[in-house]
Amino acid sequence: SMEFTWFANEAFANTNEPRGYSNMDSLNLTVSVDRPTFINFANSSRTFFFNTQWFVRYLPEYEGLGTFTTDGPWSLLGTFSIFTGYFQDRLLPALTTVYDVQSQSGAVIGQVTYRFSEVFSATVGFANFWGEPSSARIPIRQAVLGNNGADFENKTNFQGLTPIAERDEVFMLLRYTF
């Protein structure tokens, strides 16, 4: 499947503008491909469901990273997921990877769900994120006055998945539905 969107006059942070932002168009393309596939040696009774999604954005009026705080003019983020079921879909493993090309950040998210009955299930999983912030520019007029010295937050620009790069987690979920 494919989807194309155009956003006219979207606001983007601009360090060279006295008001702090500029308006420009954003062209977005999303492509999704699904494929159920039998892999007999791994699961002879059910398919593995493969899914990949690609999100492409183009900013035609982009003036460079020295001006805008967002990556551009092109950005590309991709995901890849795989799901299957065992024991009449009582055991459901899933794995998803995410990668943002411009910021070189990404994630691996995995989980295993066991359905005890139609109404009660338990899920355990993990989420691992990575990515490093890039250097930021100080705007001409700052929205809030601050110390522009050696503070880490003032000197960094977080794009892609880098804002949550230190949010790795392990989780457990018990679910009862009625």
Side-chain angles (χ1 to χ4, degrees):
S1 66
M2 272 202 233
E3 179 181 321
F4 177 77
T5 57
W6 166 49
F7 295 103
N9 296 322
E10 194 174 1
F12 287 90
N14 184 339
T15 59
N16 289 340
E17 278 291 321
R19 65 183 174 180
Y21 70 94
S22 290
N23 293 329
M24 65 177 155
D25 294 349
S26 173
L27 307 172
N28 303 282
L29 176 68
T30 302
V31 178
S32 178
V33 178
D34 299 334
R35 170 80 184 171
T37 304
F38 276 103
I39 303 175
N40 288 330
F41 72 89
N43 189 352
S44 60
S45 63
R46 192 167 188 290
T47 62
F48 283 80
F49 186 75
F50 297 97
N51 173 267
T52 185
Q53 297 180 11
W54 296 93
F55 303 91
V56 181
R57 180 182 70 189
Y58 177 65
L59 305 172
E61 301 154 25
Y62 187 80
E63 297 173 11
L65 192 56
T67 301
F68 292 101
T69 60
T70 188
D71 288 337
W74 292 94
S75 66
L76 174 66
L77 182 128
T79 68
F80 179 74
S81 299
I82 183 170
F83 311 91
T84 193
Y86 294 96
F87 309 116
Q88 298 175 345
D89 284 348
R90 284 192 175 274
L91 182 66
L92 301 165
L95 182 69
T96 298
T97 59
V98 182
Y99 187 71
D100 182 66
V101 175
Q102 200 90 357
S103 67
Q104 297 179 3
S105 61
V108 176
I109 304 162
Q111 69 180 37
V112 176
T113 300
Y114 186 78
R115 294 182 338 163
F116 296 99
S117 68
E118 296 172 352
V119 296
F120 184 63
S121 66
T123 302
V124 293
F126 69 92
N128 180 274
F129 300 95
W130 70 86
E132 297 294 326
S134 58
S135 296
R137 288 181 44 115
I138 298 172
I140 292 174
R141 289 189 189 156
Q142 298 178 36
V144 177
L145 291 177
N147 179 0
N148 294 325
D151 187 356
F152 178 75
E153 293 297 325
N154 288 335
K155 300 290 185 184
T156 52
N157 183 16
F158 293 93
Q159 299 291 330
L161 296 171
T162 58
I164 55 174
E166 303 301 322
R167 293 294 310 253
D168 298 338
E169 60 185 41
V170 175
F171 61 89
M172 183 176 148
L173 173 70
L174 294 174
R175 175 173 287 161
Y176 177 78
T177 57
F178 54 94

